């Protein structure tokens, strides 16, 4: 069995080791474009837990460790990879509930819970990613937990399975094979598993080699939604064996058909039973076939969950504005000019973030709390931030509507379509239709050498993205801009907005404006905005 102290140190070591290797993981990040932030996002997510765990005493239970880690990681999650990592660790919180120490079965259940939840959280799971690595490791864990009771031996098989799965990711995802790399998220998970194994095998926690900010410490949260509770009743009992009773394996097999989180401990004289089920009466009836029962306990976990949510809501009260109006807006943006655009359109709160700078769920929650409205619309404006924004809904004390905006131009178009006299549903529909009509061009640079769609991309080369898909590359920004704009416009185009970033001078931007205006002619109005955004030389909006 693994004590709470050992489990605590294992997760801390995972955070330290990933922090030390985050740049290496970033450099593997080629899917879907080489933006290089997966290692950073995962490191910031698990380091949010590390700060909380370092405050726990040595006599802590594994349940407390798991709850603390899951809560902090969920609130500190950055990007898709960070959110998925936090969901995987929520599995430990569920499987370790009320446990002082944990064994192989508990770890196996934890992985299974986490993988199931992660696959459910992703609308279209892609194989060859962190999901695949976690799933194959979990499948091995289920077999290994029945073959050994030694956690270091068990976890070594889990780590080996994860490593083998990682090595196979290029065969599952063509872009990885073309680029000659493994999946970045999967690599991050393997680093964490390896670090945990080191602690389980008796090695000390590693030291931080470089300082990497992990953001603010996340507030405590429940980390679970009622919808995650498939089986309502936590049912337990102790069976005093009758003479010649059947092997407890048959009881376990039955319980696994009517519930989950099954724990059947077969001692010489008693059998300890634990199961989450919707049929608690059938559990007790089946138990009577093996002897007489003692200390039966049936608890409604959904009611427990509701009570905890209310309790934590009271305990975690922060400074929250009272609703003074019907609607409000929270927009994610980076750059003084871009932020000013959203404020001019009516955004109440700006969360600083974007590509390679994904804000946490906690950042978004605090922004919602500070918006004095009955219903708050959230504009993520980046595909990697949508999941973190959606996680914020469960914690909100007011109505929240997350729009699926993936770019800055889409967010601007959505706000322009807002009608204060319409209800939430009609506004969601109108705003969604508006941003879906907007085409977005992005001009940036490659973070590393790679290959994408058969194209060789060298580090520092200029990349043109057409609605978040790689269009082409070049070595000259001007050529890229002219070609990309021509690709985006059509006969129905009326407006083109060029938003230039922090790395573009005013003089260069004015020249670009004149050039694009000349190329498009009088039928298309071309506007120039000093966005001041990082990462992207230009953001192009076409309407």
């Amino acid at each position: 069995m693994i004590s709470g102290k050992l489990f605590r140190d294992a997760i801390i070591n995972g955070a330290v080791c990933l922090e030390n290797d985050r740049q290496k993981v970033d450099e593997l990040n080629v899917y879907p474009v080489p933006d290089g932030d997966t290692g950073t996002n995962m490191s910031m997510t698990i380091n949010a837990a590390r700060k909380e765990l370092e405050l726990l005493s040595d006599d802590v239970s594994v349940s407390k460790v798991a709850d603390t880690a899951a809560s902090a990681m969920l609130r500190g999650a950055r990007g898709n990879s960070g959110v998925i990592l936090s969901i995987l660790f929520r599995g430990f919180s569920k499987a370790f509930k009320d446990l002082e120490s944990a064994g192989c079965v508990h770890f196996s259940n934890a992985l299974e819970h986490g993988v199931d939840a992660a696959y459910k959280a992703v609308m279209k799971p892609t194989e060859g990613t962190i999901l695949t690595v976690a799933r194959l490791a979990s499948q091995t864990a289920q077999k290994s937990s029945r073959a050994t009771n030694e956690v270091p031996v068990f976890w070594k098989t889990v780590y080996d399975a994860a490593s083998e799965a990682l090595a196979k990711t290029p065969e599952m995802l063509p872009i990885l094979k073309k680029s000659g790399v493994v999946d970045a998220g999967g690599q991050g998970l393997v680093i964490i598993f390896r670090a945990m194994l080191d602690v389980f095998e008796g090695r000390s926690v590693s030291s931080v080699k470089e300082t990497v900010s992990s953001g603010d410490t996340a507030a405590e949260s429940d980390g679970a939604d009622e919808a995650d509770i498939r089986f309502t009743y936590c049912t337990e009992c102790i069976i005093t064996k009758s003479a010649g009773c059947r092997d407890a394996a048959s009881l376990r097999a039955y319980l696994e058909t009517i519930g989950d989180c099954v724990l059947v401990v077969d001692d010489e004289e008693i059998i300890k039973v634990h199961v989450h089920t919707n049929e608690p009466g059938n559990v007790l009836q089946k138990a009577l076939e093996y002897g007489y029962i003692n200390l039966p306990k049936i608890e409604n976990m959904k009611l427990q969950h509701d009570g905890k949510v209310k309790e934590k809501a009271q305990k975690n009260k922060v400074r929250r504005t009272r609703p003074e109006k019907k609607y409000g807006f929270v927009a994610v943006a980076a750059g003084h000019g871009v932020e000013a655009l959203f404020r001019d359109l009516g955004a109440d709160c700006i969360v600083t973030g974007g590509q390679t700078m994904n804000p946490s769920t906690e950042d978004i929650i605090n922004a919602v709390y500070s918006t004095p409205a009955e219903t708050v619309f959230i504009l993520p404006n980046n595909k990697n931030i949508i999941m973190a924004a959606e996680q914020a809904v469960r914690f909100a004390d007011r109505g929240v509507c997350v729009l699926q905006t993936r770019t800055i131009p889409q967010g601007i178009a959505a706000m322009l379509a807002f009608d204060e006299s319409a209800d939430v549903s009609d506004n969601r529909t109108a705003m969604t239709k508006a941003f879906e009509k907007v085409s977005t061009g992005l001009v940036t640079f490659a973070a590393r050498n790679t290959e994408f769609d058969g194209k060789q991309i060298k580090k520092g080369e200029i990349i043109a993205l057409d609605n978040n898909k790689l269009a082409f590359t070049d070595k000259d920004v001007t050529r890229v801009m002219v070609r990309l704009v021509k690709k985006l416009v059509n006969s129905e185009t009326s407006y083109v907005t060029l938003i230039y970033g922090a790395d573009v001078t005013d003089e260069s931007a004015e020249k670009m404006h004149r050039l694009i205006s000349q190329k498009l002619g009088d039928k298309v109005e071309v506007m120039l905005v000093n966005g001041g955004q990082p990462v992207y030389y230009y953001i192009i909006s076409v309407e």
Side-chain angles (χ1 to χ4, degrees), residues 14-73:
V16 171
C17 290
L18 184 57
E19 183 173 346
N20 289 337
D21 286 341
R22 66 172 178 81
Q23 185 174 352
K24 295 179 181 178
V25 178
D26 281 342
E27 291 172 354
L28 296 174
N29 187 193
V30 298
Y31 176 79
V33 293
D35 52 5
D37 63 356
T38 293
T40 298
N41 286 337
M42 294 182 72
S43 178
M44 294 178 77
T45 299
I46 193 170
N47 270 286
R50 174 186 160 202
K51 284 191 172 184
E52 294 288 332
L53 294 175
E54 288 176 338
L55 300 177
L56 299 180
S57 62
D58 288 350
D59 61 352
V60 67
S61 67
V62 291
S63 175
K64 178 63 175 178
V65 172
D67 286 344
T68 300
S71 171
M73 288 177 68

Side-chain angles (χ1 to χ4, degrees), residues 195-342:
M196 294 175 67
L197 176 62
D198 286 343
V199 172
F200 292 157
E201 291 182 336
R203 287 179 280 277
S204 302
V205 174
S206 303
S207 300
V208 177
K209 296 179 182 177
E210 57 178 304
T211 302
V212 181
S213 175
S214 59
D216 296 334
T217 298
E220 185 178 13
S221 74
D222 176 58
D225 189 355
E226 184 175 320
D228 295 322
I229 304 175
R230 292 194 304 126
F231 297 101
T232 303
Y233 301 100
C234 177
T235 306
E236 296 183 3
C237 69
I238 294 176
I239 305 171
T240 300
K241 293 181 180 180
S242 60
C245 76
R246 288 177 291 166
D247 187 277
S250 60
L251 175 59
R252 176 194 294 275
Y254 170 76
L255 295 177
E256 288 177 345
T257 67
I258 63 169
D260 67 2
C261 294
V262 176
L263 175 62
V264 177
V265 181
D266 189 1
D267 201 357
E268 291 183 2
E269 298 180 352
I270 65 170
I271 301 173
K272 169 67 177 178
V273 174
H274 171 280
V275 61
H276 293 174
T277 181
N278 291 325
E279 306 171 31
N282 289 344
V283 173
L284 299 182
Q285 189 64 43
K286 190 70 174 179
L288 289 171
E289 296 179 10
Y290 294 79
Y292 63 86
I293 60 175
N294 188 28
L295 300 177
K297 179 176 70 70
I298 301 173
E299 294 180 340
N300 187 312
M301 294 184 292
K302 289 185 178 180
L303 293 180
Q304 285 181 318
H305 169 83
D306 291 342
K308 288 180 180 179
V309 169
K310 292 176 182 178
E311 179 184 346
K312 289 180 183 295
Q314 291 297 319
K315 185 170 66 174
N316 293 331
K317 280 184 177 178
V318 296
R319 294 180 181 177
R320 305 179 185 184
T321 58
R322 293 183 178 180
E324 300 173 356
K325 56 184 179 178
K326 189 174 182 180
Y327 297 120
F329 289 90
V330 169
V332 179
H336 60 85
V338 176
E339 293 179 13
L341 274 175
F342 280 103

Side-chain angles (χ1 to χ4, degrees), residues 12 138 167 198:
I12 291 174
S138 176
D198 286 343

Side-chain angles (χ1 to χ4, degrees), residues 448-496:
R448 67 180 296 274
N449 294 335
T450 187
E451 181 181 329
F452 193 94
D453 288 344
K455 300 180 179 69
Q456 294 292 332
I457 303 176
K458 296 182 179 180
K459 182 178 180 180
E461 199 166 19
I462 307 303
I463 299 175
L465 299 175
D466 177 352
N467 292 298
N468 285 324
K469 294 181 180 179
L470 178 65
F472 55 86
T473 63
D474 203 316
K475 296 181 179 179
D476 182 76
V477 174
T478 300
R479 287 199 300 267
V480 168
M481 282 292 292
V482 171
R483 184 177 170 186
L484 183 57
V485 169
K486 286 185 176 181
K487 191 175 189 300
L488 290 168
V489 300
N490 55 44
S491 59
E492 298 180 355
T493 300
S494 300
Y495 302 97
V496 172

